[in-house]
Amino acid sequence: MAEVPPTDTVVLTTLSSPLKAPPAGHGEEYSKCFYSDADNGSYHSSDVHSLASRGSEAFSGYDTLDAAPNYDFYANTAVFGRTRKSRPSLFQLHSILEEDAIPPPLYEEANGQSNGGVGGKDSSEDEADAEPPAEPARFGWVQGVMIRCMLNIWGVILYLRLPWITAQAGIGCTWIIILLSSCITGITGLSTSAIATNGKVKGGGTYFLISRSLGPELGGSIGLIFAFANAVAVAMHTVGFAETVQSLMQENGSSMVDPINDIRIIGVITVTCLLAISLAGMEWESKAQVLFFLVIMISFANYIVGTIIPATPQKQARGFFSYRADIFAANFVPSWRGPDGSFFGMFSIFFPSATGILAGANISGDLKDPAVAIPRGTMLSIFWTTMSYLIISVTIGSCVVRDASGVLNDTMPAPTTEDCVGLACRYGWNFSECITNKTCAFGISNYYQSMSMVSGFAPLITAGIFGATLSSALACLVSAPKVFQCLCKDRLYPVIGFFGKGYGKNDEPIRGYVLTYIIAICFILIAELNTIAPIISNFFLCSYALINFSCFHASITNSPGWRPSFRFYSKWLSLLGSIVSVVIMFLLTWWAALIAIGIVLFLLGYVLYKRPSVNWGSSVQASSYNMALSYSVGMNLVDDHIKNYRPQCLVLTGPPGFRPALVDFVSTFTKNLSLMMCGNVVTGSPSPAAVEAAGSSSHVTWLNKRRIKSFYRGVVANDLRSGVQMLLQAAGLGQMRPNVLVMGYKKNWRKDRPRNTESYVGILHDAFDLQYGVCVLRMKDGLDVSRSLQAHVNPGFEIGTEPHLDNGPPPAPPGNTTLDPDALVAVPQPRTEFQSKQGKKTIDVYWLSDDGGLTLMLPYLLSRKKRWGRCKVRVFVGGDIQHVEEQKKEIMALITKFRLGFHDVVVLSDINERPQPEHVKRFEDLLGPYRLNDGHKDVGTVEQMREGCPWKISDEELERNKAKSLRQVRLNEILHDYSRDAALIILTMPVGRRGLCPSALYMAWLETLSRDLRPPVLLVRGNQENVLTFYCQ
């Protein structure tokens, strides 16, 4: 082996230039340029057009094409003015450039296009000089969600119907109605928060959340219903406003036509003005909402002050006597009146006032950070509005009697209950005549404007009514087009695409505004608030039922893509909220519930029939994975999605009972989650005995006995590598096919026949060629227990005890080449360390090269299991000692976006230091028997010397890979320093280029990297495709 240069550190160089095709006839020289100048200890490229990506050195510790973890690798959009980086493909990392061949694209973009340089620097000068796009208005959680939701909840019902509902249902039942409504909306708010924080949320609000969770079938139908419900809600709140204006006109003796037509005229004029505000843009609409909020706050304060001020004779004549215990007691119990006089009749009228919780989510595309704003703003708005409803209900019920005449002459000389009907008799007022004749015009049972009468200054309550009704109408007028626009853009239904066009920097759906305006006018013409309110109750309840079911369904599928940042939710509570919403739909108006469900089923059937070409990674797709085989054929019509990625493992166990630790480990993170398939290769000709040994059901029996949820697949092949190639290409069915190859580490590779080692490394190359991720597990005591079971040993994995480095004929395999699986089942089950709880240890993840996220996905899945749940996950990355804190924040920010729950990041600032001389010497001794010692002769001479021994290492290959070899030595030192007491070490596995890294050198890397470590070591390398995402779709 070449002498190690006597330098203190290994010089590293960052490579960041674009790839260029090698000149004809210079392929070999081009491929060598990456390893030049190794004599002075440096590792760099002599060509300015190198393959490495910028930033590799800081995180991986050496100069390489391997890219360090980066936000851009997972993002679907680019930032204006900044070149977007992309991860090198596995082809570029693993294969060599052939002579006279067109090189592959350096970076594979998400849109299918490729760039010739790192990050795609082929943009034109016109693009470079282009002006940045106009930044749309974005709102925070207070202005964008909380205030908007509170204003939408504080609608017409609060001022005009809550006192009346309190009179009908009594304070006690009114509180039950309020709390029941708040429970439904609260549970829905929790579910909405969970869905909204499971990735980036775009515009479309409720429709976007449901459709991206449950898929386009249910999402599309509920999107139409919810948009329609919001359009009707515009009419409801506008009619409430018009009622107030008409009442004021009537009190002053004014009228345009008659009360009903006056409400219609005022309503049409009002909704037209609201349309003008909406068309002015979201900024003006948001400013108007803040103004309305301030007005409502002042009106609330005015109302509370009014309840404390002593009652005047005029107010007493209308039934207000300040706080009285007997009034509270009398109004605490129900007094049902009229056709709507029932609990669910009152509930159907009140419930729409609680439906404004989605006002913030409906403009999700206009929020700065929807994942933070929606949960915080929605839940706080539910809390404060619920408190306000409860306070107003109990205060109005403690101050005002149910019936009063409003006539000042109805006083009595002295309070008496003789020949006097009603509670007012105790306070010197006799309302017996109107109570008996049922002609009382005042009191909370008869006078909708009771809050104005109670308040300190009535015009402020009127202003509050105006603010509440107009703000709610304005919020619904904005929400409906936003939801409908997103639905139109998805093109799930015909014709409606016309309304999806947006205008301006905020992509305003002007056509949607006009459509909502027309629908609202149609319902305004009804001009009866108590008729409109129940119509939309069922539509909102249907939406809430599906939102809750979306959260439950996404949780119950146990998909790795379901990782909401909002943790304060329960899948069972969501299911309860969904069931309660459906039950209440039927209790309110059973025929309206049937109509709503019928519309949903009709629209659902249409989408199922049309099968739109959309793929959002919904939980329906995820749950289909766990269903029966009959559904697998249907799943072929759906493409894979990052959110639903699962590590589906083909585990090379041989007979599963031979390597129980390997089986137990993989089962830990695949059980009830993803596919696990144990693969066994029986070498020899396909004789009946060999076929029976490969396909014996006893292997499955052993797995079932051990409670391992895994498939088993055995094949017969001439040699191990050919058999594994069969499994890699043919295992699985539909989407249930392996994407990760898991193997045990070949512990005895130095004692085994070199051809077996060559076959072992060749399997890794085959897996990479077939776009598999690869995991290699090494344990201190090994994995194979076949010797202790006195059973057959697969010669491809562990055979022989003596070194066999010559080129002579291999020794004959042992005589017991057949296996008795039934006897293996009868053997007592061996216990492994992966069956025990790991306690408060650590899972140390060395994320040194970005492989798509598989290195992070596996520890995340382990940490979700009970046995590993108490272990803390530590993520180690390479870094520069001068920028430790900056690099730590960068990686921490990326991990946080993945919502993995890892909070401990360690930057290895000493990764670039030179390894200890004695460790380098040990590595050289390890390679000694495999050295060709050719003295840097020409290629032809080297190939003649290596004929029949492809595992031999030439001097040039050793020099070319010196930096990478020293890196493995240094990493082993770091592992000993940081992870000697870990429960598990997960480490990025190096990739050896085919034809440039002999199998003996590669095995020496793996041996050195994981040498003398007590914890199990899992070497992981993904296939360079994303398995993690922070997006919703």
Side-chain angles (χ1 to χ4, degrees):
M1 184 173 181
E3 182 180 357
V4 178
T7 56
D8 295 331
T9 59
V10 179
V11 179
L12 304 174
T13 305
T14 300
L15 306 177
S16 57
S17 300
L19 170 68
K20 287 194 175 182
H26 294 80
E28 178 182 339
E29 179 182 350
Y30 186 80
S31 65
K32 292 179 182 179
C33 71
F34 297 100
Y35 308 93
S36 62
D37 200 17
D39 292 336
N40 63 4
S42 63
Y43 180 60
H44 64 278
S45 171
S46 58
D47 194 309
V48 295
H49 302 297
S50 66
L51 284 162
S53 59
R54 185 177 180 86
S56 301
E57 171 188 358
F59 291 101
S60 60
Y62 73 108
D63 210 355
T64 175
L65 172 61
D66 235 349
N70 192 285
Y71 175 94
D72 284 354
F73 299 164
Y74 303 89
N76 291 338
T77 56
V79 178
F80 184 87
R82 182 171 67 86
T83 303
R84 178 183 168 193
K85 299 178 182 179
S86 297
R87 185 188 305 113
S89 67
L90 188 62
F91 180 89
Q92 297 160 333
L93 290 176
H94 181 243
S95 302
I96 62 174
L97 300 175
E98 297 182 1
E99 212 172 302
D100 295 326
I102 300 176
L106 178 57
Y107 292 126
E108 299 172 354
E109 297 288 353
N111 60 3
Q113 298 177 352
S114 60
N115 295 323
V118 175
K121 298 182 179 179
D122 292 339
S123 57
S124 63
E125 294 182 2
D126 293 339
E127 293 175 341
D129 297 335
E131 291 292 331
E135 183 67 22
R138 299 291 187 218
F139 308 110
W141 69 271
V142 175
Q143 185 179 1
V145 180
M146 190 183 76
I147 291 179
R148 185 176 297 274
C149 288
M150 292 176 72
L151 289 173
N152 208 11
I153 295 172
W154 284 331
V156 60
I157 303 298
L158 171 65
Y159 288 98
L160 300 183
R161 292 298 182 270
L162 185 56
W164 176 70
I165 292 173
T166 303
Q168 290 265 0
I171 296 173
C173 286
T174 301
W175 274 40
I176 294 175
I177 290 172
I178 294 171
L179 293 176
L180 179 59
S181 301
S182 297
C183 284
I184 296 173
T185 56
I187 293 172
T188 307
L190 294 175
S191 300
T192 302
S193 299
I195 298 172
T197 58
N198 190 48
K200 283 193 173 183
V201 178
K202 298 181 180 179
T206 306
Y207 161 70
F208 185 88
L209 298 179
I210 296 177
S211 63
R212 270 53 175 181
S213 294
L214 286 179
E217 297 84 6
L218 281 173
S221 58
I222 206 60
L224 276 178
I225 287 179
F226 190 77
F228 179 76
N230 272 277
V232 178
V234 175
M236 182 188 75
H237 295 297
T238 304
V239 167
F241 170 80
E243 273 191 14
T244 306
V245 176
Q246 190 274 333
S247 177
L248 291 175
M249 292 172 59
Q250 189 174 11
E251 289 179 1
N252 292 279
S254 300
S255 177
M256 288 182 285
V257 184
D258 56 67
I260 293 296
N261 285 313
D262 286 356
I263 291 175
R264 291 170 177 165
I265 294 171
I266 296 169
V268 171
I269 294 173
T270 302
V271 78
T272 303
C273 295
L274 294 177
L275 176 65
I277 296 176
S278 301
L279 294 178
M282 285 297 297
E283 295 182 44
W284 284 97
E285 186 268 349
S286 181
K287 292 175 182 177
Q289 295 284 28
V290 173
L291 177 62
F292 291 145
F293 182 78
L294 294 176
V295 171
I296 292 175
M297 289 292 99
I298 294 172
S299 72
F300 281 171
N302 174 53
Y303 164 76
I304 296 299
V305 171
T307 61
I308 301 173
I309 297 174
T312 63
Q314 290 79 5
K315 290 187 176 181
Q316 290 182 353
R318 296 187 175 192
F320 173 63
F321 296 97
S322 296
Y323 291 104
R324 304 278 183 170
D326 49 356
I327 295 180
F328 172 82
N331 288 338
F332 189 82
V333 295
S335 177
W336 308 114
R337 303 181 186 182
D340 296 325
S342 65
F343 178 86
F344 286 104
M346 294 299 103
F347 183 88
S348 66
I349 293 174
F350 174 81
F351 186 76
S353 67
T355 57
I357 63 167
L358 299 177
N362 288 337
I363 62 162
S364 54
D366 298 300
L367 300 176
K368 291 179 182 177
D369 189 353
V372 174
I374 292 176
R376 188 179 299 174
T378 302
M379 299 312 298
L380 282 175
S381 66
I382 293 173
F383 173 78
W384 290 118
T385 52
T386 301
M387 293 301 298
S388 66
Y389 280 133
L390 294 175
I391 291 172
I392 291 174
S393 175
V394 72
T395 53
I396 199 78
S398 302
C399 299
V400 186
V401 296
R402 283 190 168 100
D403 297 291
S405 64
V407 180
L408 291 173
N409 293 330
D410 285 344
T411 58
M412 295 189 301
T416 179
T417 58
E418 296 181 2
D419 300 325
C420 184
V421 180
L423 193 61
C425 300
R426 302 179 185 180
Y427 312 122
W429 290 84
N430 187 356
F431 302 138
S432 302
E433 182 180 354
C434 75
I435 293 175
T436 304
N437 299 330
K438 298 182 180 180
T439 57
C440 294
F442 295 92
I444 54 176
S445 291
N446 310 290
Y447 188 49
Y448 289 155
Q449 304 286 344
S450 294
M451 286 184 64
S452 296
M453 181 264 295
V454 171
S455 66
F457 185 61
L460 287 179
I461 295 296
T462 303
I465 295 173
F466 290 173
T469 53
L470 293 178
S471 64
S472 298
L474 186 58
C476 293
L477 184 58
V478 170
S479 297
K482 294 282 186 181
V483 173
F484 193 60
Q485 181 187 35
C486 185
L487 176 63
C488 294
K489 287 184 175 181
D490 288 337
R491 299 186 179 277
L492 301 181
Y493 302 103
V495 181
I496 64 174
F498 170 81
F499 298 99
K501 182 177 177 57
Y503 297 86
K505 63 180 182 180
N506 275 50
D507 197 31
E508 296 291 349
I510 294 179
R511 296 175 181 176
Y513 283 131
V514 175
L515 178 62
T516 304
Y517 170 76
I518 294 173
I519 295 174
I521 287 181
C522 293
F523 281 87
I524 287 173
L525 297 178
I526 296 176
E528 180 54 50
L529 186 61
N530 291 359
T531 302
I532 300 175
I535 293 176
I536 63 176
S537 291
N538 275 291
F539 290 127
F540 280 118
L541 281 168
C542 190
S543 302
Y544 291 172
L546 282 177
I547 290 176
N548 286 308
F549 184 74
S550 298
C551 182
F552 167 76
H553 197 264
S555 302
I556 204 69
T557 55
N558 205 25
S559 171
W562 175 250
R563 300 188 304 275
S565 302
F566 184 81
R567 301 293 183 183
F568 304 103
Y569 74 97
S570 169
K571 58 185 176 184
W572 302 115
L573 200 59
S574 298
L575 178 62
L576 176 64
S578 180
I579 295 174
V580 170
S581 298
V582 175
V583 170
I584 292 178
M585 284 175 64
F586 283 92
L587 291 177
L588 293 181
T589 315
W590 64 268
W591 56 266
L594 290 177
I595 291 175
I597 294 176
I599 294 173
V600 170
L601 293 178
F602 173 77
L603 297 173
L604 169 65
Y606 177 83
V607 176
L608 287 174
Y609 174 75
K610 295 296 292 185
R611 294 188 179 276
S613 56
V614 294
N615 181 18
W616 297 325
S618 67
S619 60
V620 171
Q621 297 171 17
S623 64
S624 297
Y625 175 88
N626 298 322
M627 293 182 181
L629 183 62
S630 59
Y631 288 91
S632 298
V633 177
M635 290 293 291
N636 291 334
L637 302 175
V638 182
D639 296 328
D640 292 329
H641 195 279
I642 301 172
K643 280 173 54 180
N644 291 331
Y645 174 85
R646 301 165 186 259
Q648 303 184 110
C649 300
L650 173 61
V651 190
L652 298 186
T653 59
F658 282 3
R659 293 170 179 82
L662 184 61
V663 172
D664 290 339
F665 175 74
V666 178
S667 175
T668 301
F669 61 85
T670 59
K671 187 175 183 179
N672 297 326
L673 176 72
S674 62
L675 173 69
M676 175 181 174
M677 181 176 291
C678 294
N680 180 25
V681 178
V682 176
T683 56
S685 58
S687 62
V691 173
E692 182 181 355
S696 174
S697 60
S698 297
H699 298 303
V700 178
T701 303
W702 185 91
L703 291 169
N704 293 336
K705 185 178 178 181
R706 203 172 179 84
R707 297 183 179 179
I708 301 295
K709 294 188 177 181
S710 170
F711 294 98
Y712 167 81
R713 187 72 176 96
V715 297
V716 180
N718 293 329
D719 57 74
L720 174 68
R721 185 175 180 182
S722 300
V724 174
Q725 288 174 344
M726 297 179 190
L727 291 173
L728 290 172
Q729 297 181 73
L733 177 65
Q735 286 198 13
M736 294 201 305
R737 58 181 181 272
N739 52 28
V740 177
L741 176 67
V742 183
M743 306 172 62
Y745 177 73
K746 190 173 179 61
K747 186 178 180 181
N748 67 339
W749 67 277
R750 287 174 292 169
K751 299 179 180 179
D752 200 359
R753 294 174 297 181
R755 290 189 181 276
N756 288 339
T757 302
E758 184 79 4
S759 176
Y760 180 90
V761 176
I763 291 173
L764 299 179
H765 287 299
D766 295 337
F768 287 140
D769 289 338
L770 295 171
Q771 292 294 302
Y772 272 66
V774 175
C775 298
V776 176
L777 178 65
R778 180 175 187 179
M779 298 183 65
K780 184 177 181 181
D781 298 326
L783 296 169
D784 192 1
V785 298
S786 59
R787 296 186 185 278
S788 62
L789 298 175
Q790 297 181 352
H792 169 70
V793 179
N794 193 324
F797 280 101
E798 301 192 26
I799 269 248
T801 57
E802 300 297 330
H804 189 83
L805 303 178
D806 59 289
N807 196 25
N816 57 335
T817 55
T818 60
L819 171 66
D820 184 5
D822 296 326
L824 184 61
V825 173
V827 174
Q829 292 279 344
R831 186 165 183 83
T832 66
E833 65 177 273
F834 298 114
Q835 292 178 307
S836 305
K837 292 186 177 181
Q838 300 300 315
K840 291 185 178 181
K841 299 180 181 179
T842 61
I843 301 175
D844 290 350
V845 182
Y846 289 80
W847 196 26
L848 303 178
S849 297
D850 197 323
D851 60 352
L854 184 63
T855 308
L856 289 183
M857 173 68 83
L858 295 182
Y860 166 72
L861 296 178
L862 284 173
S863 65
R864 294 172 59 182
K865 301 299 181 178
K866 187 175 181 180
R867 294 173 186 167
W868 297 82
R870 301 181 66 187
C871 291
K872 182 175 70 172
V873 179
R874 300 190 300 176
V875 180
F876 295 82
V877 295
D880 186 352
I881 193 172
Q882 297 179 352
H883 305 92
V884 170
E885 289 303 320
E886 179 182 348
Q887 292 163 353
K888 181 177 180 179
K889 290 180 181 179
E890 181 181 350
I891 293 298
M892 194 67 237
L894 178 60
I895 293 176
T896 301
K897 287 183 178 294
F898 290 140
R899 312 174 306 281
L900 296 172
F902 302 164
H903 305 291
D904 197 348
V905 174
V906 179
V907 177
L908 302 173
S909 58
D910 57 348
I911 193 173
N912 299 333
E913 294 180 6
R914 188 174 182 79
Q916 298 295 324
E918 60 271 21
H919 296 155
V920 176
K921 180 64 167 59
R922 185 169 64 174
F923 177 77
E924 293 176 352
D925 295 339
L926 182 66
L927 290 179
Y930 303 92
R931 292 282 302 277
L932 199 60
N933 296 318
D934 57 284
H936 294 280
K937 292 184 172 60
D938 60 271
V939 176
T941 304
V942 169
E943 291 301 321
Q944 288 181 357
M945 296 176 63
R946 190 158 50 187
E947 185 176 357
C949 302
W951 53 84
K952 291 282 188 178
I953 308 169
S954 69
D955 292 347
E956 182 176 350
E957 288 168 340
L958 195 62
E959 286 295 319
R960 181 187 298 146
N961 292 285
K962 178 185 291 185
K964 204 167 186 178
S965 299
L966 293 178
R967 177 176 183 258
Q968 314 311 320
V969 179
R970 176 57 188 154
L971 284 176
N972 182 257
E973 295 175 353
I974 291 175
L975 295 180
H976 280 278
D977 291 339
Y978 289 94
S979 303
R980 63 176 71 244
D981 297 321
L984 175 69
I985 299 173
I986 299 180
L987 181 66
T988 304
M989 185 170 69
V991 177
R993 288 188 180 273
R994 185 194 299 276
L996 299 180
C997 180
S999 59
L1001 177 59
Y1002 186 74
M1003 289 303 299
W1005 287 353
L1006 302 186
E1007 174 71 22
T1008 301
L1009 193 58
S1010 57
R1011 193 170 195 170
D1012 298 330
L1013 292 169
R1014 184 200 61 78
V1017 179
L1018 182 68
L1019 301 171
V1020 180
R1021 170 62 71 163
N1023 66 351
Q1024 300 301 112
E1025 298 290 338
N1026 288 350
V1027 303
L1028 293 172
T1029 182
F1030 36 75
Y1031 289 105
C1032 265
Q1033 65 177 6

